[in-house]
Amino acid sequence: MKDILTAPFMVEMIRTVTEMYRHGWDERNGGNVSLLLDKSEADAYLEENGVIRTIPAGFSCPELAGRYFLVTGTGKYFKNVQYAPDVNLGLVRLDDTGENAELLWGFTDGGKFTSEFPAHMMSHAARLTIDPHNRVVMHCHPANLLAMTYVHSLDEREFTRTLWQMCTECIVVFPDGVNVLPWMLCGTSEIGIATAGKMQTARLVVWSQHGIYGAGKDLDETFGLIETAEKAAEIYMKIAHLPLVNTITDEQLHLLEERFGVRAREGYLH
């Protein structure tokens, strides 16, 4: 059996959450990440039938029965993951009912997966129906996107258009736009269901006055997706109080569609 700390998926997870903390997106124990693994990918680093303990998931997601996930732990600080990955991360497998998670590695201090586990699993299930290559769900608290929800309309079309107009690359990186939820109580099945519904039409879902959810095919893509939206929100927050003299027009956004072979979300451009 190979050393799991040398696994490419483990190295990349540690590197990514460390970078998220350095970006200021994950203060204290804020934020969480889950990475879907192939069975063969995980089994090379696990003992056969080595279930350490079973943890009730608190919800039912039979669509993901038998699937493996590397996930951050509840109450864990991202800044500590690089120093004690076996304490702050866990590798789990959902059982045949999709109602329990079998811990196969990690959480050595007796901990368990993030309190947002329901939202993550429901989002994975939703995204897999849209893109079978979706492997990552990432939640964090980027300051500018969060601030934007206090001063900008939460209408999804308007929110998306504002971000597209802030940086030339935005429409290229997230042509599907940004979906927005009003404030909801976190850590519940209700917000998980609502987020999964929004994930059907966009890979970015803003939780108003809280943070953002992103989904993608790998950790790099998902990190970059959030990073781009946060950069656009930063620019907006710097200029929102000033007279707007110039902008990226819809005609120019259409040119970007043509140049980069993307298609903006239907009805979002004139």
Side-chain angles (χ1 to χ4, degrees):
M1 185 179 65
K2 302 177 183 177
D3 180 3
I4 195 170
L5 295 181
T6 67
F9 61 79
M10 183 68 69
V11 172
E12 187 62 17
M13 174 69 99
I14 295 170
R15 187 180 74 86
T16 299
V17 298
T18 300
E19 197 62 29
M20 291 171 73
Y21 176 76
R22 288 176 179 161
H23 270 58
W25 297 352
D26 297 276
E27 72 292 336
R28 198 172 180 270
N29 62 319
N32 25 80
V33 182
S34 59
L35 171 63
L36 172 62
L37 301 172
D38 293 330
K39 182 179 186 299
S40 58
E41 187 180 19
D43 282 351
Y45 299 92
L46 298 170
E47 294 183 11
E48 189 174 354
N49 300 319
V51 177
I52 299 169
R53 52 191 164 94
T54 299
I55 308 170
F59 66 100
S60 178
C61 197
E63 307 97 304
L64 297 178
R67 305 302 291 266
Y68 291 68
F69 294 91
L70 181 63
V71 61
T72 54
T74 185
K76 304 304 183 186
Y77 290 36
F78 275 20
K79 72 181 182 66
N80 295 331
V81 172
Q82 61 183 319
Y83 306 114
D86 61 320
V87 173
N88 296 284
L89 301 174
L91 202 162
V92 302
R93 176 180 61 210
L94 290 185
D95 68 8
D96 293 340
T97 68
E99 297 179 355
N100 299 288
E102 299 169 334
L103 179 63
L104 306 177
W105 174 88
F107 300 146
T108 54
D109 64 345
K112 66 175 188 176
F113 43 71
T114 169
S115 62
E116 302 295 353
F117 196 63
H120 277 254
M121 295 301 103
M122 293 176 192
S123 292
H124 274 289
R127 287 304 308 168
L128 286 169
T129 66
I130 306 299
D131 180 0
H133 300 293
N134 196 113
R135 295 166 62 87
V136 175
V137 171
M138 184 178 291
H139 171 56
C140 55
H141 307 153
N144 293 287
L145 279 164
L146 198 160
M148 194 170 163
T149 66
Y150 285 91
V151 299
H152 192 284
S153 162
L154 300 183
D155 177 84
E156 291 171 341
R157 181 177 182 273
E158 292 183 15
F159 204 95
T160 294
R161 284 175 56 81
T162 293
L163 294 177
W164 282 349
Q165 291 167 352
M166 294 301 105
C167 295
T168 295
E169 70 270 22
C170 284
I171 196 170
V172 179
V173 175
F174 51 96
D176 47 346
V178 176
N179 284 341
V180 183
L181 285 174
W183 187 93
M184 296 179 68
L185 184 63
C186 55
T188 65
S189 292
E190 288 75 18
I191 199 169
I193 292 169
T195 304
K198 295 291 187 182
M199 282 283 181
Q200 295 281 350
T201 53
R203 293 166 297 147
L204 288 171
V205 180
V206 169
W207 284 7
S208 296
Q209 295 84 48
H210 184 143
I212 193 168
Y213 260 70
K217 67 180 181 181
D218 56 36
L219 290 161
D220 262 357
E221 180 186 73
T222 313
F223 182 96
L225 189 64
I226 294 173
E227 187 176 36
T228 305
E230 168 65 0
K231 180 66 171 290
E234 179 183 3
I235 295 169
Y236 173 76
M237 293 305 298
K238 287 180 176 179
I239 68 170
H241 63 292
L242 300 172
L244 191 64
V245 177
N246 303 299
T247 189
I248 301 174
T249 67
D250 279 27
E251 290 75 15
Q252 291 166 336
L253 291 170
H254 281 304
L255 289 174
L256 288 166
E257 284 184 296
E258 295 172 14
R259 173 66 179 82
F260 291 96
V262 299
R263 185 173 180 83
R265 188 162 170 176
E266 188 70 30
Y268 274 39
L269 294 181
H270 297 305

